[in-house]
Amino acid sequence: MEQGGIEQLIAQADRIGIRHVAGPDHSPLIAHVEIAPIGELDEATVGALVIVAAPEGRRPSAYQVDIALRQAVARRFAGIVFAGEFPLAETARQLAARGAVPVLMSETGTASELAVVIDRILRGGAADSLARAEHAIERASAAASGGAGSREILEAASGALGVELSIVEDPTANWMDPDAVCVGELAVGRLVAEHTDAAVLVALPVIAAAVSRALQHELGERFAPTQSRADLLIELIYAESSRLDGFGVEAARLGFPLSLSHVVGWLRPTHRRDPELRAPRSVGPAVELFALQLLHERSEAWHVAHLHDDVILVSSEQHGAGDHQRRLREVGERIRDYATATAGGEWVYTLGLGTPQVGASGLRQSAAEARISAEAAIAGGRLGEARATDVTGLRRVLLEFYASPLSRRLLDDVLAPLDALGPEKSDIAVRTLAAYLGHRNSLVRAAADLNLHPNAVNYRVRRLEQTLGLDLEDPDERFAAELACRMRLLAPRGR
């Protein structure tokens, strides 16, 4: 017995070349497929799907169609298919509806050809699966060759397969997976079917490839100007100050609003166990694409640039716009969370935030602040956090100084002997020394800050001089020790 009903045929109407014209769009299982002339339906089997062959070269009359439908109702046909297109009278539609008889019409082909195709579909099996897959691939390829977009290709393939196809986001997708939808070698999701059968399994990889090519073209068209602005942004950040005036014309040509107020976010990946490792190659493009798609519909002017493993975000608005940095932070944290989830394992992204600044030089300053904030957070063990730049001048200088690995190493060497005391005693020692030096070697004022007796402070300081091998009466050594203490308190070890 054939396993299928009218709904199975309607789902593949595009491939078969039929359309549903009257009556219900479903039926019980079809027991048989038979061919009968227009005037001889009383010989057809009860429960069959009957393909009605009209007299050669002629359309059936309205009277003949009505009689055929009455016979279909009387003999409880699973459905009736007219081989050939013709207008269906209203009386026929009413008969089909009242009698619950599905009525289909074929667009092309003879009754015998139609019977073979329908029988094969209802029986299923390898032959039909291959035929459906081939038809879906042909339709998807034709749509792609005609310049159709990814959505149109999906619609064409879905109609040919009789199964709804869609793209779903999946961060675990790999560009080597047969169902992966990719932009280049970057998997952006998977092609999934409403339900899977043999035809879908055969056709899916080819359709996914066609959709991937279309999607790559669409994104290229959509983000090409954005990419050009990203190149300009990187060049602007790292150019010599004397060249800033020369960026105005190029920025105007690319639609980069250089005269506005800009605030910059700087995302940097770090491996928790090995800070020297580079992030996986696939993560950077995935994060950049996610950021571009996330920002595309927002009202503010946004720019995204990818520099090595880092992602740079720029939000540009009119000068004085409220909550400018807060909006950047909200977007930056979403991108940071996506980046961390995409990288997985031991990788974490840290976000540094600059302050709103006006013009080309202001953009450079905000970018420097954001980069330094990210680097300082990483150096201080605050991985994965979003750190805003402190607007006070001294803290900003200290951050920039500490962001340098060489400077950090030199300052760490000054206090290195304290590390042997353990974290708690080392912290007490650093705070004692910082209070003493910060008050110009005043024991009384340092004692007030530390809630100690001046003699206790004096005892600790003298011990620290011996431990560190310092002469705190020497201006240079005193300056180096105070700077080292400030940096250690700004970014404590082990955090």
Side-chain angles (χ1 to χ4, degrees):
M1 177 179 291
E2 285 77 13
Q3 299 298 306
I6 288 295
E7 58 272 24
Q8 186 174 346
L9 302 181
I10 293 175
Q12 299 185 53
D14 178 76
R15 177 164 74 95
I16 306 170
I18 62 172
R19 63 187 182 93
H20 175 247
V21 295
D25 58 2
H26 58 277
S27 72
L29 294 180
I30 298 171
H32 304 283
V33 178
E34 299 182 9
I35 301 175
I38 187 70
E40 302 178 17
L41 268 62
D42 55 347
E43 300 295 328
T45 306
V46 172
L49 174 68
V50 179
I51 300 174
V52 179
E56 188 173 351
R58 298 202 309 267
R59 291 179 178 178
S61 66
Y63 173 77
Q64 289 176 310
V65 172
D66 286 353
I67 294 298
L69 288 174
R70 292 180 186 277
Q71 291 174 316
V73 173
R75 299 187 66 78
R76 301 189 301 279
F77 289 170
I80 189 168
V81 184
F82 289 102
E85 284 275 2
F86 59 87
L88 194 65
E90 184 58 32
T91 55
R93 296 180 186 278
Q94 293 177 2
L95 282 170
R98 287 199 302 267
V101 176
V103 180
L104 308 175
M105 283 189 183
S106 69
E107 300 172 358
T108 58
T110 65
S112 59
E113 292 172 341
L114 195 59
V116 171
V117 173
I118 290 176
D119 183 68
R120 181 181 297 161
I121 290 172
L122 296 174
R123 289 182 181 276
D128 176 62
S129 296
L130 289 174
R132 282 176 57 213
E134 182 180 14
H135 183 60
I137 291 170
E138 287 176 354
R139 291 300 302 274
S141 299
S145 299
S150 56
R151 182 177 300 177
E152 289 78 10
I153 294 173
L154 278 181
E155 290 175 353
S158 297
L161 276 174
V163 177
E164 186 70 24
L165 302 176
S166 60
I167 301 172
V168 298
E169 292 185 5
D170 185 351
T172 67
N174 184 284
W175 70 277
M176 293 289 289
D177 297 339
D179 59 350
V181 177
C182 306
V183 177
E185 293 186 2
L186 172 62
V188 296
R190 295 185 186 277
L191 187 62
V192 299
E194 188 178 17
H195 60 266
T196 302
D197 56 25
V200 171
L201 293 176
V202 171
L204 207 63
V206 182
I207 298 170
V211 171
S212 296
R213 289 193 296 271
L215 189 60
Q216 183 168 3
H217 178 74
E218 291 168 6
L219 292 176
E221 292 283 326
R222 179 178 174 185
F223 294 130
T226 302
Q227 189 58 51
S228 298
R229 290 194 292 270
D231 296 338
L232 175 68
L233 174 61
I234 295 299
E235 188 177 1
L236 174 63
I237 289 174
Y238 287 100
E240 296 290 336
S241 299
S242 59
R243 294 184 53 209
L244 288 186
D245 292 341
F247 285 95
V249 174
E250 183 66 10
R253 185 182 70 81
L254 294 173
F256 195 114
L258 204 53
S259 61
L260 297 183
S261 175
H262 312 282
V263 61
V264 179
W266 200 291
L267 276 163
R268 173 161 293 180
T270 310
H271 193 275
R272 292 184 184 276
R273 290 183 290 104
D274 187 353
E276 300 301 319
L277 283 181
R278 294 287 304 273
R281 284 181 54 198
S282 61
V283 176
V287 173
E288 185 179 12
L289 179 59
F290 174 81
L292 289 172
Q293 292 176 317
L294 173 66
L295 300 172
H296 186 68
E297 302 299 329
R298 292 184 65 95
S299 58
E300 309 97 343
W302 289 87
H303 318 284
V304 180
H306 191 65
L307 178 65
H308 304 303
D309 294 339
D310 296 353
V311 178
I312 303 169
L313 311 173
V314 181
S315 174
S316 303
E317 297 191 42
Q318 293 295 332
H319 180 55
D323 295 331
H324 196 174
Q325 190 185 66
R326 179 186 60 79
R327 286 192 294 277
L328 175 79
R329 185 181 190 125
E330 290 174 354
V331 170
E333 287 178 343
R334 287 189 62 186
I335 297 172
R336 176 203 61 190
D337 294 345
Y338 174 86
T340 300
T342 301
E346 295 291 322
W347 289 97
V348 63
Y349 275 70
T350 303
L351 173 64
L353 301 169
T355 56
Q357 303 289 338
V358 178
S361 59
L363 190 153
R364 285 162 56 91
Q365 180 178 336
S366 187
E369 293 171 353
R371 175 181 57 80
I372 292 165
S373 295
E375 291 174 348
I378 293 169
R382 298 181 176 91
L383 302 182
E385 294 187 11
R387 304 292 294 179
T389 300
D390 192 306
V391 296
T392 61
L394 178 58
R395 184 176 175 86
R396 185 177 297 174
V397 171
L398 291 175
L399 284 172
E400 186 157 9
F401 190 78
Y402 196 63
S404 165
L406 177 60
S407 301
R408 202 160 57 241
R409 188 161 53 249
L410 291 173
L411 292 177
D412 284 341
D413 287 346
V414 173
L415 301 178
L418 299 181
D419 296 333
L421 302 177
E424 185 175 352
K425 290 184 178 180
S426 175
D427 183 65
I428 292 173
V430 170
R431 292 184 183 279
T432 300
L433 188 57
Y436 176 72
L437 297 173
H439 287 297
R440 299 183 180 181
N441 296 13
S442 169
L443 293 173
V444 173
R445 295 175 66 184
D449 275 359
L450 297 170
N451 197 26
L452 294 172
H453 191 279
N455 290 341
V457 175
N458 184 54
Y459 174 76
R460 288 185 183 182
V461 170
R462 301 288 82 83
R463 289 285 302 271
L464 287 171
E465 279 187 294
Q466 296 175 5
T467 302
L468 298 175
L470 295 175
D471 178 6
L472 296 183
E473 298 301 322
D474 183 288
D476 290 341
E477 293 191 28
R478 186 170 63 245
F479 174 77
E482 183 176 3
L483 185 59
C485 288
R486 284 180 176 270
M487 294 312 308
R488 181 67 69 91
L489 293 174
L490 178 67
R493 286 193 165 193
R495 290 183 58 182

